[in-house]
Amino acid sequence: DQQVKQNSPSLSVQEGRISILNCDYTNSMFDYFLWYKKYPAEGPTFLISISSIKDKNEDGRFTVFLNKSAKHLSLHIVPSQPGDSAVYFCAAHYTNAGKSTFGDGTTLTVKP
Amino acid sequence: DGGITQSPKYLFRKEGQNVTLSCEQNLNHDAMYWYRQDPGQGLRLIYYSQIVNDFQNGDIAEGYSVSREKKESFPLTVTSAQKNPTAFYLCASSIWQISNQPQHFGDGTRLSIL
């Protein structure tokens, strides 16, 4: 039973346009959500997070939206740049358990 | 520079052999984690440790073992009982019990069977 799902394995957008990456979860006990970015042959790096008590968090070109009733979050990148091309992982964290559950990732390609 | 170091970057295992993957951090983090990544899949948690001399099973602990004798070190042994060990292994660390603190990852070890 996959508790965190990223239903789009890949996404291709034009440079300068908006990229929207989606993530769904099933466990209502998750209290923090994080997005990580990963380049080939490297470890993931943290991008942005959001608490379950908020519905939006913004950091420069990156904004994460949380719809708790729908158990859905999304990452918006505006404007998209070729350097954003990477695999993006959604992760849901349950503080009491002390661990995060990751989705399968979405490969974003930003075309010049 | 603070960070996590995984070694080796590439590792080959013969059938029936145990191998140990190294993970060292100098971030003074309490919690450390081991993940496995297979092609096209996300990160699956193998083991995690919140403090020295303590660790918990993750979702796929069978065929693996860990130790946490020092705060900065969390080695993972892939035993011969792990029948499909070929994968990309990632180690991470974080500040314990502070939810909005992300995990910091090493650059991984790719394990292959000879």
Side-chain angles (χ1 to χ4, degrees), chain B residues 40-52:
Chain B
Q41 296 188 31
L43 281 61
R44 291 186 291 167
L45 184 64
I46 304 172
Y47 271 102
Y48 64 111
S49 168
Q50 301 163 10
I51 56 172
V52 174

Side-chain angles (χ1 to χ4, degrees), chain B residues 1-50:
Chain B
D1 252 28
I4 297 186
T5 302
Q6 289 188 243
S7 61
K9 197 167 181 68
Y10 299 96
L11 188 58
F12 299 92
R13 192 191 92 170
K14 293 181 181 178
E15 294 284 350
Q17 189 180 49
N18 292 357
V19 290
T20 297
L21 284 60
S22 169
C23 178
E24 303 277 332
Q25 55 101 357
N26 59 5
L27 298 165
N28 199 34
H29 285 167
D30 296 306
M32 296 187 75
Y33 312 82
W34 273 106
Y35 294 92
R36 169 181 172 139
Q37 187 187 18
D38 292 285
Q41 296 188 31
L43 281 61
R44 291 186 291 167
L45 184 64
I46 304 172
Y47 271 102
Y48 64 111
S49 168
Q50 301 163 10

Side-chain angles (χ1 to χ4, degrees), chain A residues 31-32 34 36 38 41-46 49 87 89 93-105, chain B residues 9 33 35 37 40-43 45 48 50 57-59 88 90 96-97 99-103 105-108:
Chain A
D31 50 5
Y32 257 95
L34 308 97
Y36 292 84
K38 183 182 181 301
E42 293 183 9
T45 55
F46 170 70
S49 65
V87 178
F89 289 101
H93 189 82
Y94 177 31
T95 299
N96 285 353
K99 59 180 183 175
S100 294
T101 301
F102 286 78
D104 286 345
Chain B
K9 197 167 181 68
Y33 312 82
Y35 294 92
Q37 187 187 18
Q41 296 188 31
L43 281 61
L45 184 64
Y48 64 111
Q50 301 163 10
N57 288 10
D59 301 317
F88 187 54
L90 285 161
W96 174 238
Q97 284 291 10
S99 292
N100 64 345
Q101 294 300 314
Q103 294 180 25
F105 286 83
D107 281 341

Side-chain angles (χ1 to χ4, degrees), chain A residues 2-61:
Chain A
Q2 198 168 7
Q3 296 189 64
V4 179
K5 288 185 181 178
Q6 294 177 254
N7 290 319
S8 299
S10 62
L11 175 67
S12 181
V13 300
Q14 208 65 36
E15 181 179 7
R17 306 295 290 267
I18 184 171
S19 296
I20 300 177
L21 294 87
N22 294 302
C23 179
D24 296 294
Y25 63 96
T26 57
N27 190 341
S28 58
M29 300 300 290
F30 291 135
D31 50 5
Y32 257 95
F33 302 90
L34 308 97
W35 285 92
Y36 292 84
K37 176 179 177 179
K38 183 182 181 301
Y39 293 115
E42 293 183 9
T45 55
F46 170 70
L47 198 56
I48 192 169
S49 65
I50 188 167
S51 163
S52 61
I53 62 172
K54 295 189 175 181
D55 55 18
K56 179 182 174 181
N57 188 26
E58 191 171 354
D59 184 2
R61 296 186 297 114

Side-chain angles (χ1 to χ4, degrees), chain B residues 57-75:
Chain B
N57 288 10
D59 301 317
I60 54 166
E62 187 174 349
Y64 300 96
S65 67
V66 292
S67 63
R68 187 88 187 275
E69 297 176 1
K70 298 187 295 182
K71 186 175 185 178
E72 56 271 21
S73 178
F74 192 39

